[in-house]
Amino acid sequence: MNVSVVLFTSDLRLNDHPPLRAANDGSRQVVPLFVRDPAVDGAGFAAPNRLAFLADCLRDLDAGLRERGGRLVVRHGDIVEQVCKVAAEADADEVHMAADVSGYAHRREERLRRALEAEGRRLHVHETVTTAVTPGALTPASSDHFAVFTPYFRQWSQQRLRDTLGAPRTVRVPEGVASGELPSRAGLPGLSEGLAAGGEVAGRKRLTAWLRSGVAAYEDRHDDLAGDATSHLSPHLHFGTLSPVELVHRARRVGGPGAEAFARQLAWRDFHRQVLAARTHVATADYRTKHDRWRSERAAREDVAAWKEGRTGYPVVDAAMRQLRHEGWMHNRGRLLTASFLAKTLYVDWRVGARYFLSLLVDGDLANNQLNWQWMAGTGTDSRPNRVLNPVTQAKRYDPDGAYVRRWVPELAELDAPLIHEPWKLTGLDRAAIDYPDQIVELSDGLARFRRGRDRE
């Protein structure tokens, strides 16, 4: 019997998994393989929250495979070396894996292809495993990728997505292929206290609940900070415990404005991934430079520390940053606000904020994180690169009763709205009674500094 290896990366599921379906065709044995790659640690992406969520995902994947007669093989080391070793041990003639978009993923794929071909084995790379539409499949007439979302979304919406695939009924793994121990979140230091559980089972439960009782109101409530009315599916998309193709199909079956708005967010995810696939350098460099004279993290040390700790003196900014530290996740409106505040009001290099987010976010996706930060910094694909979000105006609009601030900034819990968003207006004993910092910068001063930095004065 022929043997295939399925290399799992950021696609840790059994449902709608094209590489697994292609490898597990009934005539073959399959080695489901995950390699813990030290290059990920070396690049700084091994954040504790993501390691814990990853451990949950791998244990859940192994359990699902065992229910079907198989098991997950886990190895540690250089991914190309380990895949080749496993293929040799199993006498496999082919390896299947999902395509990915980062520069590292491109280099990994090419290295693996060369190494396998040198041994007489084949590498099959499958698209639409981590995206709904293949990056590069949609292009304007004048470029290899879309730099503006709206025309991309028009084409994206007209694409016929592939059909979804069911989970396999059986998986036959050859004898004699050794595995390391499955990782565990137990004992991992530095985890966010409110970190959610990972794994396909947890993801599918959350998806079902979201489609049943959450998505219908999404169009109206997705910016409601206190209402927390978003899907919370981003970690599962990042680790691939849910399929973006399946999510789009199921949202469209539900229908209505809420489901359409949710599908639009999935299109944004694909949009960012097609930008990164075409311009891999934007993970660390400006997509469209404005020749900013950013303050460095060292030069702005005290301001950056206050931002990270949720002690800026702007309650909605501080609430969002405290949510990030507690949950390893942040509401999308909070992400926009905190990014605008750091990059434009404090005029600190966007890479400082992007790096900090990646150190905590369980859904710390390179394409989404870096390109959303660039969007807010004005160096990305935003057509209004010099817009600055006013945290007070935004707080009054998206947290009008102050419930979100009360949840995360308990020092201000006794204040009524709108004063809770402007505690600096308190005077005398009322102000002295609150252990909350003054603003680290006046908004007008921050705006003036940003305009000077961009030579707009």
Side-chain angles (χ1 to χ4, degrees):
M1 179 173 286
N2 293 329
V3 179
S4 300
V5 174
V6 176
L7 176 62
F8 288 87
T9 53
S10 55
D11 50 346
L12 304 177
R13 64 180 184 270
L14 297 177
N15 285 276
D16 195 36
H17 197 284
L20 182 58
R21 169 61 68 89
N24 192 49
D25 65 359
S27 64
R28 287 176 168 268
Q29 292 183 310
V30 178
V31 181
L33 172 65
F34 181 84
V35 179
R36 182 74 171 83
D37 188 353
V40 175
D41 298 10
F45 293 117
N49 285 338
R50 289 197 295 282
L51 290 178
F53 201 91
L54 171 64
D56 293 349
C57 293
L58 294 177
R59 287 177 172 270
D60 184 83
L61 180 59
D62 180 65
L65 287 165
R66 290 182 183 277
E67 289 174 0
R68 293 160 172 83
R71 62 189 172 94
L72 181 65
V73 174
V74 178
R75 295 290 181 91
H76 186 282
D78 176 80
I79 195 164
V80 174
E81 292 179 5
Q82 292 302 317
V83 172
C84 288
K85 283 183 180 179
V86 169
E89 291 171 18
D91 195 23
D93 61 345
E94 62 181 29
V95 174
H96 293 260
M97 68 180 296
D100 209 342
V101 297
S102 69
Y104 171 73
H106 291 169
R107 293 189 296 273
R108 175 184 65 192
E109 179 185 323
E110 189 55 36
R111 286 179 57 221
L112 185 55
R113 188 183 304 281
R114 288 198 304 266
L116 289 170
E117 288 179 350
E119 298 176 352
R121 311 181 204 279
R122 297 184 304 275
L123 176 65
H124 300 279
V125 179
H126 298 259
E127 300 287 353
T128 63
V129 182
T130 63
T131 59
V133 174
T134 301
L138 308 178
T139 57
S142 58
S143 178
D144 60 351
H145 72 287
F146 277 95
V148 180
F149 175 72
T150 300
Y152 174 82
F153 181 58
R154 280 197 294 267
Q155 288 200 25
W156 185 93
S157 299
Q158 296 168 4
Q159 295 300 297
R160 185 189 183 282
L161 304 186
R162 64 169 176 80
D163 294 335
T164 55
L165 307 169
R169 293 185 177 181
T170 59
V171 178
R172 293 174 291 175
V173 179
E175 298 293 332
V177 182
S179 175
E181 290 187 11
L182 287 166
S184 169
R185 71 161 58 193
L188 278 173
L191 297 185
S192 293
E193 184 178 340
L195 183 66
E200 184 176 12
V201 170
R204 296 191 73 79
K205 285 181 180 177
R206 182 174 286 277
L207 172 61
T208 298
W210 165 248
L211 294 175
R212 184 174 58 243
S213 59
V215 73
Y218 183 71
E219 169 69 3
D220 296 326
R221 300 189 60 208
H222 67 276
D223 276 323
D224 179 0
L225 284 164
D228 199 22
T230 61
S231 72
H232 287 257
L233 295 176
S234 55
H236 293 283
L237 283 164
H238 174 63
F239 284 92
T241 58
L242 292 175
S243 157
V245 171
E246 181 184 0
L247 262 61
V248 176
H249 277 306
R250 292 183 65 176
R252 287 174 174 171
R253 285 200 294 270
V254 171
E260 291 171 7
F262 178 61
R264 184 182 177 91
Q265 292 304 310
L266 296 169
W268 266 109
R269 183 175 180 273
D270 278 7
F271 172 76
H272 285 150
R273 294 177 83 82
Q274 60 95 38
V275 172
L276 183 61
R279 300 288 184 270
T280 56
H281 69 279
V282 300
T284 55
D286 291 345
Y287 179 75
R288 291 174 176 150
T289 184
K290 298 295 183 289
H291 304 288
D292 285 286
R293 300 186 293 273
W294 298 112
R295 300 166 73 201
S296 68
E297 185 168 14
R298 181 176 180 180
R301 181 174 59 253
E302 292 184 1
D303 285 351
V304 171
W307 177 80
K308 289 179 178 179
E309 294 165 7
R311 301 281 293 173
T312 68
Y314 289 92
V316 74
V317 172
D318 295 340
M321 295 304 294
R322 295 184 194 188
Q323 181 183 26
L324 172 62
R325 294 178 72 177
H326 181 80
E327 295 185 354
W329 185 88
M330 189 194 294
H331 191 288
N332 185 60
R333 177 54 54 176
R335 299 187 199 206
L336 299 178
L337 285 169
T338 55
S340 175
F341 189 83
L342 184 75
K344 289 177 173 172
T345 303
L346 296 180
Y347 200 51
V348 172
D349 192 328
W350 64 265
R351 283 158 282 241
V352 174
R355 187 165 55 246
Y356 183 67
F357 270 30
L358 284 177
S359 75
L360 286 170
L361 282 173
V362 67
D363 63 7
D365 180 88
L366 190 66
N368 276 348
N369 187 68
Q370 307 304 85
L371 287 166
N372 274 319
W373 266 95
Q374 292 219 43
W375 175 275
M376 290 314 304
T379 64
T381 61
D382 188 3
S383 60
R384 295 172 55 196
N386 296 310
R387 80 174 96 192
V388 178
L389 298 184
N390 182 309
V392 178
T393 302
Q394 293 272 307
K396 291 178 179 178
R397 181 178 303 161
Y398 299 117
D399 187 31
D401 297 326
Y404 181 70
V405 168
R406 282 188 199 90
R407 185 180 307 157
W408 297 108
V409 189
E411 308 96 293
L412 304 178
E414 300 303 317
L415 299 182
D416 293 328
L419 188 61
I420 192 171
H421 299 305
E422 301 173 281
W424 52 86
K425 290 186 175 180
L426 292 168
T427 59
L429 294 177
D430 290 334
R431 178 66 185 93
I434 297 176
D435 181 20
Y436 184 72
D438 294 327
Q439 308 122 288
I440 60 175
V441 63
E442 292 284 348
L443 295 180
S444 58
D445 293 340
L447 181 60
R449 176 170 53 196
F450 170 63
R451 288 176 170 170
R452 287 195 302 273
R454 288 244 167 124
D455 295 322
R456 290 181 57 81
E457 285 190 343

